[in-house]
């Protein structure tokens, strides 16, 4: 049994080391808390409500935190009532102290549910049947 447990641990270590992650300074994913009022609508009415919600939330992020909204995820917002955005801050990308303060401020915002740095996952190995040249 002990050998089995050791083998499982080695497998998890090998799988974990097969991926490398890299945080991109100044880039974040922001998720707002759910807006129940949006979920009360259906069909085209919900599409309009989500669009208005996303516009207000994007403007809020830009004005309150000085970030640039690069993308919003309307399909996620439509199904959950939560605004989700990809944002960047040029200043945070070069100033670690400002980045820490920005993250702390956004994470303590009562309208925002979660903020996480944008993280790129890279596979170390090439999947079978593909070449690095084609990737």
């Amino acid at each position: 049994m002990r050998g089995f447990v050791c083998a499982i641990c080695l497998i998890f270590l090998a799988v974990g080391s097969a991926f490398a992650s890299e945080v991109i300074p100044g880039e974040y994913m922001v998720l707002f808390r759910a807006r129940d009022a949006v979920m009360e609508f259906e069909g085209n009415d919900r599409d309009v409500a989500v669009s208005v919600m996303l516009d207000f939330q994007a403007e809020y992020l830009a004005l309150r935190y000085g970030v640039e909204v690069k993308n919003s995820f309307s399909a996620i917002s439509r199904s959950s009532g939560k605004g989700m955005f990809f944002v960047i801050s040029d200043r945070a990308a070069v100033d670690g102290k400002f980045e820490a303060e920005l993250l702390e401020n956004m994470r303590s915002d009562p309208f925002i549910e979660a903020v996480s740095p944008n993280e790129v996952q890279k596979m170390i190995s090439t999947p079978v049947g593909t070449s690095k040249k084609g990737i």
Side-chain angles (χ1 to χ4, degrees):
M1 181 68 174
R2 187 176 196 182
F4 176 73
V5 171
C6 289
I8 294 297
C9 289
L10 287 174
I11 289 170
F12 282 116
L13 285 173
V15 169
S17 66
F19 297 96
S21 66
E22 174 187 347
V23 172
I24 302 172
E27 295 188 3
Y28 311 97
M29 299 300 294
V30 179
L31 181 68
F32 278 81
R33 297 193 185 281
R35 301 293 300 179
D36 294 332
V38 169
M39 299 306 291
E40 293 175 5
F41 294 103
E42 293 182 16
N44 289 338
D45 292 338
R46 183 178 292 179
D47 293 340
V48 171
V50 166
S51 178
V52 170
M53 176 189 76
L54 292 175
D55 287 345
F56 277 112
Q57 290 172 340
E59 188 72 16
Y60 177 79
L61 289 169
L63 293 174
R64 176 77 171 95
Y65 298 107
V67 297
E68 181 182 351
V69 175
K70 295 303 251 179
N71 196 12
S72 63
F73 301 89
S74 59
I76 291 170
S77 301
R78 188 181 195 289
S79 64
S80 68
K82 298 178 179 188
M84 185 172 186
F85 300 88
F86 169 62
V87 302
I88 63 170
S89 168
D90 292 336
R91 182 174 174 197
V94 296
D95 183 344
K97 183 179 177 185
F98 178 78
E99 180 175 40
E101 290 172 3
L102 178 63
L103 273 171
E104 182 181 331
N105 290 337
M106 286 195 294
R107 286 178 173 159
S108 65
D109 189 310
F111 297 116
I112 295 175
E113 182 173 318
V115 179
S116 64
N118 189 23
E119 193 171 340
V120 175
Q121 296 282 330
K122 295 182 181 178
M123 292 182 60
I124 293 175
S125 63
T126 304
V128 177
T130 64
S131 69
K132 289 186 179 187
K133 187 177 183 180
I135 294 180

